Amino acid sequence: EFGKKSLPILATVMPYSFTRHDGRVISEKDVAGRVHVVEFFFTTCKGICPKMNRNMKDVHERLKGEKGFLILSHTVDPDTDSVAVLKRYADSIGATLDTWWFLTGTKETLYKSARQSYLLDNPENNSTNVDDQFIHTQFFAVVDREGRVRGIYAGLKKDEVEQLVSDVRTLLKEGARSSTTPAS
């Protein structure tokens, strides 16, 4: 509506293929039409990840009832975080797995996704050997129903997490309005 700041389009998510916590391979097609929050973390992290995932759990609790909402948590340590490890981790934090997916893949694909699709790390870091790299980012990205990044938020800051929840609600409404189903 008038005077309301619309969320900018920061990037478009490139096609991808990752393996979910249940062993199923998923791609961008599986999340099309859903507003989703994206993060990169690793299960053995003792530093920022537990705090980030406490905040993500809060986001999850507040939004999991919304139709068309999803969280994608990607590991940055695929050598350690197998499908089974991700599933155990998800269970340990009480994630509702139909709306909170834990994903793994090759390190190269994961890191490229973090940098180029979600802008959660400096793309210039792509020039160095992926084996020597480690992404450790506290940022969350919000992606709209069309696969466009619409916001990046500091996952450790309560006020930014509040803003994220509010922006997700805005995007959920936005998609519901512009869908092709006629108003009843």
Side-chain angles (χ1 to χ4, degrees):
E1 59 253 19
F2 182 71
K4 190 173 179 328
K5 183 175 83 62
S6 84
L7 296 164
I9 295 168
L10 306 175
T12 299
V13 177
M14 300 177 308
Y16 59 79
S17 170
F18 293 120
T19 305
R20 198 169 63 179
H21 55 260
D22 57 2
R24 187 169 151 228
V25 174
I26 65 119
S27 76
E28 72 287 349
K29 294 178 182 72
D30 293 289
V31 301
R34 291 162 134 177
V35 175
H36 48 288
V37 180
V38 173
E39 71 162 345
F40 287 79
F41 83 110
F42 58 110
T43 62
T44 53
C45 167
K46 301 283 181 268
I48 62 176
C49 304
K51 290 189 202 78
M52 283 167 55
N53 277 338
R54 271 197 298 280
N55 287 341
M56 190 65 91
K57 174 93 187 225
D58 185 45
V59 170
H60 174 251
E61 289 307 315
R62 291 165 65 188
L63 294 169
K64 67 181 181 191
E66 299 275 356
K67 204 168 144 22
F69 172 72
L70 193 61
I71 295 171
L72 302 180
S73 291
H74 304 70
T75 180
V76 292
D77 185 11
D79 292 343
T80 306
D81 293 340
S82 64
V83 166
V85 169
L86 287 174
K87 172 79 171 78
R88 249 195 330 272
Y89 180 85
D91 290 343
S92 78
I93 63 171
T96 309
L97 294 175
D98 53 350
T99 53
W100 191 347
W101 297 356
F102 292 79
L103 305 172
T104 186
T106 67
K107 191 170 177 181
E108 195 175 351
T109 317
L110 288 159
Y111 282 38
K112 206 171 142 185
S113 213
R115 289 175 182 143
Q116 294 175 13
S117 284
Y118 302 112
L119 313 179
L120 295 178
D121 187 60
N122 188 339
E124 280 157 28
N125 294 336
N126 275 331
S127 58
T128 54
N129 181 350
V130 76
D131 297 331
D132 306 332
Q133 299 174 33
F134 200 76
I135 291 182
H136 206 193
T137 174
Q138 55 139 325
F139 292 99
F140 297 160
V142 166
V143 181
D144 68 16
R145 294 176 192 268
E146 271 121 71
R148 301 172 307 190
V149 178
R150 302 292 291 274
I152 293 174
Y153 309 79
L156 297 174
K157 297 194 174 136
K158 272 292 192 213
D159 60 329
E160 294 211 17
V161 173
E162 277 306 311
Q163 188 60 53
L164 177 151
V165 169
S166 155
D167 289 349
V168 164
R169 289 201 164 114
T170 300
L171 289 171
L172 283 165
K173 282 191 199 86
E174 186 181 273
R177 268 203 309 271
S178 65
S179 77
T180 53
T181 30
S184 48

